[in-house]
Amino acid sequence: MGTPLIFSFWPLHVLAAIKAAVLIQRWYRSYMARLEMRRRYALSIFQSIEYAEEQAQLQVCTLDYTMREYEQTIEVPASYYGPHLSFPLTVADTDVLLQAFKHRQHLHARYVLQLLHETRKVLQQMPNITYLSTSYTKEITICGDLHGKLDDLLLIFYKNGLPSEENPYIFNGDFVDRGKNSIEILIILFAFLLVYPNHLHLNRGNHEDHIMNLRYGFTKEVMKKYQCYGTAILHLLEDVYSWLPLATIIDSKVLILHGGISDTTDLNFLNLFQRNKLKSVLRPVKSNAETVSKPRGASLVETGSHRTEATKSLSGQDNSLKEATRSTSAPSKRRRYSRDVSDGKEPLGNLPGRGSSSLLPEVQYLKPGSVTTSQTSSELTTKEWKQVVDILWSDPKHQNGCTPNKFRGGGCYFGPDVTARLLRRYNLKMLIRSHECKQDGYEISHNGKVITIFSASNYYAEGSNRGAYIKLNPDLIPRFVQYQVSKSTRKETLHQRVTAIELSALKCLREKLYTHKSELIAAFRQYDPNYTGKISPGEWASAVESVLCLDLPWRTLRSRLVYLDQDGRVEYLSSFDNFEIQLPIKEVQPFLVETLCRYKADLEIIFNMIDKDHSGLISVDEFRQTWKLFNLHLRINVDDESIDSLARSIDFNKDGSIDFNEFLEAFNFYIVTFPHVPAYSSSP
């Protein structure tokens, strides 16, 4: 066909310009689509590795970790120039704390312990599920995971204002771990809770758990910042965690909890059990507490993971942990909200103040132990444990149904039908949850009935995601506010930012490949009986997935991870070319090195259990004990002679002590660039 009639009178140079513009537009759209694809698969890599690590954490929970009560009068020295607190706190104290933390000052341990004690008193007056109401002059702000990122919290307060009677907040769990300023975030949130107990509300997340803190950095942060007082702070925090409310309901229509729900979630039951019995959801209940049936979503036994064998559930909960002292003298400063009875659907019948059948119709904030349930024992029951695991660990899915969450190893995946049934049962309209990093800081799913909100920007790497929070008024139409803490990324182009995120994700993935080198080579050679060193791309993808179980698009990632020969076959040993280990000890066996790198986080947790004073030093005999626990936990076979040789080698000054932290740091990855492997190409 010729040129259309409408263009027949246009000059040729104009037609040429239009054609060029169309070509440029097509190229640009294709270029942006490729960038978006790279950014999305980088996020998928990060999430798959994160969830695999959580599976490992759910296994290592079978080891016990307890701390003794540490009571001592702590004096603040004259040389201390940080913030000073006096109780009860005032708004001026919160301002002092914010300014001090902006300038990277620390709060003295004496004030931290006082703050935690006062916070526990307030939390003990709260119900398991908190009821709030909105007004057009007082929108409620809902924030998701912060994970120790103080800059995000300060940015939220800068954009949205500080908590106050006119500006209420809900923080939906996961305040700690991963980031460098978890303790500062807790101090700020607890301080505002004491000043505005009716207008700042906290829900428990799955990282408000002392066992999770061992793996993901908060324990190490507290011990580094507070040293000899760190143990007392951590022990008290363990009890404070157990008193955090589990959920919040706004205007009797919007349910807010950290993770999600399952097909057995019972809000009435969740509101009535004694929540402080649950110190850690990673420590399942005693098998003799009641007849244990295998729950659909709550099982913490790993299924289909990359591990060679799932470990058994715990035989019991630690009896040495003392029950928290309940405060009966501290008056609750919280307002008792009045609520109307919902009509039509099943009400939250057993919730105090909900309907005429309520036992205590005027009271919302009950003192601990004031409600008697069918289970009066101080032992946690399987049903109680399962209910909490599901609301802290579950994730939504697009398909109907409720299935075990195999990626995380705990909780479940719940579909739109499960959401619809729960909302209909309790006459609710919406579920707001957190627990998952989202590229834009939030995500709407299940036909608008489920919202995920995530407030930690740059969670995986600089530029990997935005943070967001929700503003909610009586119309219950969420308004999202996005942001991103920007430092080095301000002057970078979109291509540079995506490339940086992608390279960071690929580095994490290559570490995963290297730490499973022996298993991967064995899997590759099943397809290569003649030891040619080459297999097809499909065989390579199948072998990698069979070992790592990360559910990633390996065929798409293949060009960034391995080298192809001229016939299009994968040279599978190039999977490990870009990484080496800096070995301080040449005598260490390769198998032992691979084991150390793969289970470095688990080994560090076990070490922390043995290093009671958190000095960072253990004896050679304690090091051997660490390895015995390690071998027992992971069911790996490392002979005593290899461990003794390793212990002698790393005791450099022969004083009988091992600096374990330096030892772990010595087994770090570093990148070695090989020109024939296109893994770190930055081309679009």
Side-chain angles (χ1 to χ4, degrees):
M1 295 180 65
T3 304
L5 182 61
I6 190 173
F7 296 126
S8 60
F9 299 105
W10 288 26
L12 292 178
H13 71 277
V14 174
L15 292 175
I18 293 174
K19 290 180 180 179
V22 171
L23 289 174
I24 292 172
Q25 186 181 55
R26 288 177 180 174
W27 173 87
Y28 180 74
R29 287 176 176 173
S30 176
Y31 171 71
M32 293 302 293
R34 290 198 303 273
L35 277 183
E36 180 63 19
M37 181 188 70
R38 289 168 57 191
R39 185 162 65 169
R40 288 189 179 187
Y41 83 62
L43 197 63
S44 297
I45 291 172
F46 281 128
Q47 285 186 328
S48 295
I49 293 175
E50 177 189 8
Y51 296 165
E53 288 177 351
E54 287 181 344
Q55 286 188 30
Q57 175 63 31
L58 292 173
Q59 286 194 339
V60 83
C61 73
T62 58
L63 295 166
D64 191 19
Y65 181 81
T66 61
M67 295 180 180
R68 295 182 179 180
E69 187 69 23
Y70 182 62
E71 302 261 346
Q72 181 178 345
T73 301
I74 305 173
E75 294 186 2
V76 180
S79 59
Y80 171 70
Y81 291 103
H84 293 262
L85 299 181
S86 59
F87 295 86
L89 295 183
T90 64
V91 177
D93 292 309
T94 61
D95 293 338
V96 168
L97 286 172
L98 289 172
Q99 292 304 316
F101 294 156
K102 286 179 182 178
H103 294 91
R104 307 305 176 190
Q105 295 178 344
H106 292 160
L107 182 65
H108 194 274
R110 175 178 178 176
Y111 300 128
V112 175
L113 289 169
Q114 284 182 294
L115 179 70
L116 294 179
H117 276 105
E118 294 301 317
T119 299
R120 180 171 60 180
K121 290 179 183 178
V122 173
L123 292 176
Q124 286 173 338
Q125 307 305 314
M126 299 183 189
N128 296 354
I129 300 177
T130 305
Y131 261 81
L132 303 177
S133 59
T134 60
S135 70
Y136 287 102
T137 58
K138 293 183 182 179
E139 290 183 314
I140 293 180
T141 301
I142 305 162
C143 299
D145 300 33
L146 288 169
H147 278 300
K149 291 185 172 290
L150 180 61
D151 289 341
D152 285 295
L153 179 61
L154 296 178
L155 183 58
I156 292 171
F157 286 164
Y158 175 78
K159 293 172 67 72
N160 192 63
L162 296 176
S164 67
E165 294 180 0
E166 292 74 29
N167 193 24
Y169 276 84
I170 299 171
F171 289 90
N172 198 27
D174 278 13
F175 320 123
V176 301
D177 280 334
R178 300 189 185 276
K180 297 180 180 180
N181 299 106
S182 295
I183 189 65
E184 286 80 9
I185 286 179
L186 280 184
I187 291 169
I188 290 172
L189 295 181
F190 290 164
F192 276 110
L193 175 68
L194 295 181
V195 176
Y196 297 110
N198 287 315
H199 303 93
L200 186 130
H201 310 276
L202 305 174
N203 287 340
R204 187 175 184 176
N206 66 308
H207 277 263
E208 278 67 66
D209 187 304
H210 67 280
I211 296 180
M212 290 292 287
N213 298 161
L214 280 169
R215 187 185 192 98
Y216 292 103
F218 183 47
T219 297
K220 182 183 293 185
E221 176 191 336
V222 172
M223 294 308 303
K224 181 179 180 181
K225 292 177 179 178
Y226 290 99
Q227 299 178 5
C228 61
Y229 302 117
T231 301
I233 293 172
L234 291 169
H235 182 73
L236 184 52
L237 263 174
E238 181 183 338
D239 196 32
V240 172
Y241 286 161
S242 71
W243 286 107
L244 286 168
L246 301 174
T248 303
I249 295 180
I250 298 178
D251 291 343
S252 302
K253 295 297 181 182
V254 179
L255 173 64
I256 304 171
L257 43 75
H258 180 72
I261 58 175
S262 72
D263 53 1
T264 60
T265 295
D266 186 338
L267 298 184
N268 292 323
F269 182 86
L270 279 168
N271 194 62
L272 291 179
F273 90 100
Q274 189 179 330
R275 68 179 182 274
N276 74 302
K277 293 189 295 183
L278 190 58
K279 303 299 182 184
S280 172
V281 297
L282 301 184
R283 184 179 288 124
V285 298
K286 289 184 177 180
S287 58
N288 60 356
E290 59 182 25
T291 303
V292 179
S293 59
K294 193 150 186 172
R296 181 178 305 192
S299 175
L300 294 179
V301 178
E302 188 172 335
T303 307
S305 80
H306 64 281
R307 300 276 186 182
T308 57
E309 183 177 2
T311 57
K312 297 179 181 179
S313 296
L314 281 179
S315 60
Q317 184 176 1
D318 180 17
N319 290 328
S320 66
L321 291 175
K322 299 178 180 179
E323 284 295 317
T325 303
R326 298 171 184 169
S327 172
T328 57
S329 60
S332 173
K333 295 193 290 183
R334 290 184 172 255
R335 178 156 47 97
R336 297 172 180 176
Y337 297 97
S338 59
R339 297 179 297 276
D340 297 330
V341 180
S342 302
D343 51 3
K345 310 299 180 182
E346 178 182 339
L348 302 179
N350 293 329
L351 289 180
R354 195 67 196 268
S356 58
S357 62
S358 173
L359 296 174
L360 298 169
E362 294 295 326
V363 179
Q364 179 193 7
Y365 293 96
L366 303 176
K367 292 184 178 180
S370 61
V371 176
T372 303
T373 65
S374 58
Q375 284 288 349
T376 59
S377 171
S378 61
E379 294 291 341
L380 190 72
T381 67
T382 299
K383 182 177 181 180
E384 291 169 341
W385 172 78
K386 174 190 169 353
Q387 288 282 319
V388 178
V389 169
D390 284 344
I391 66 171
L392 296 187
W393 280 86
S394 297
D395 296 308
K397 65 174 182 176
H398 297 299
Q399 299 79 17
N400 284 337
C402 185
T403 57
N405 194 328
K406 295 180 180 180
F407 276 158
R408 292 190 188 270
C412 69
Y413 288 116
F414 61 98
D417 57 329
V418 177
T419 298
R421 281 199 301 271
L422 182 129
L423 298 183
R424 184 169 57 250
R425 178 181 179 185
Y426 296 107
N427 195 29
L428 300 168
K429 289 186 176 180
M430 187 190 311
L431 167 64
I432 297 178
R433 42 91 62 176
S434 302
H435 195 44
E436 286 184 289
C437 176
K438 297 300 177 182
Q439 185 173 308
D440 294 319
Y442 71 94
E443 183 180 79
I444 302 174
S445 57
H446 293 187
N447 301 314
K449 295 179 179 179
V450 172
I451 295 175
T452 298
I453 190 72
F454 196 84
S455 299
S457 66
N458 308 309
Y459 178 61
Y460 292 116
E462 189 75 18
S464 62
N465 66 285
R466 294 180 179 180
Y469 56 86
I470 296 174
K471 301 287 289 184
L472 205 62
N473 63 25
D475 294 331
L476 301 182
I477 299 174
R479 178 166 62 90
F480 301 97
V481 180
Q482 297 171 292
Y483 54 88
Q484 188 161 22
V485 174
S486 299
K487 294 178 181 177
S488 61
T489 58
R490 285 180 178 176
K491 298 181 180 180
E492 292 179 351
T493 65
L494 176 61
H495 175 260
Q496 289 172 326
R497 294 197 300 270
V498 171
T499 298
I501 298 166
E502 181 184 39
L503 295 184
S504 179
L506 289 171
K507 179 178 182 293
C508 293
L509 189 56
R510 283 189 164 278
E511 289 180 5
K512 207 75 175 174
L513 291 171
Y514 193 97
T515 57
H516 291 77
K517 184 176 180 179
S518 300
E519 294 172 78
L520 285 169
I521 290 177
F524 294 148
R525 285 180 175 165
Q526 289 183 358
Y527 297 103
D528 182 28
N530 297 324
Y531 292 87
T532 64
K534 301 176 182 180
I535 55 179
S536 71
E539 292 169 339
W540 177 84
S542 298
V544 173
E545 179 60 25
S546 69
V547 173
L548 299 185
C549 299
L550 293 178
D551 195 26
L552 289 172
W554 295 109
R555 290 176 180 268
T556 302
L557 294 170
R558 184 261 311 153
S559 63
R560 312 303 301 274
L561 297 172
V562 291
Y563 176 68
L564 296 182
D565 67 5
Q566 293 179 349
D567 298 326
R569 295 177 65 78
V570 174
E571 295 184 3
Y572 54 78
L573 291 180
S574 65
S575 304
F576 318 107
D577 276 354
N578 272 39
F579 272 98
E580 288 186 2
I581 301 294
Q582 290 178 319
L583 289 180
I585 311 144
K586 296 181 180 179
E587 295 81 6
V588 178
Q589 298 177 6
F591 168 74
L592 192 54
V593 173
E594 184 180 328
T595 302
L596 276 168
C597 295
R598 185 188 307 183
Y599 300 118
K600 179 178 174 181
D602 293 342
L603 191 60
E604 187 172 3
I605 292 172
I606 298 171
F607 164 78
N608 283 331
M609 298 175 188
I610 294 175
D611 181 23
K612 296 297 184 182
D613 61 355
H614 293 273
S615 64
L617 295 173
I618 59 174
S619 68
V620 173
D621 289 337
E622 287 175 332
F623 181 76
R624 295 190 186 100
Q625 183 185 354
T626 299
W627 270 98
K628 287 180 181 179
L629 286 171
F630 181 59
N631 293 343
L632 179 65
H633 162 57
L634 293 171
R635 300 178 185 273
I636 60 175
N637 186 21
V638 180
D639 59 90
D640 293 340
E641 184 178 349
S642 297
I643 300 306
D644 289 343
S645 176
L646 176 62
R648 289 192 299 269
S649 299
I650 60 181
D651 183 13
F652 296 108
N653 57 4
K654 306 305 177 185
D655 64 349
S657 295
I658 296 172
D659 188 329
F660 199 77
N661 291 324
E662 288 183 2
F663 166 67
L664 286 176
E665 289 299 322
F667 287 87
N668 277 334
F669 293 96
Y670 70 98
I671 300 173
V672 180
T673 302
F674 293 90
H676 68 279
V677 181
Y680 287 167
S681 169
S682 60
S683 59

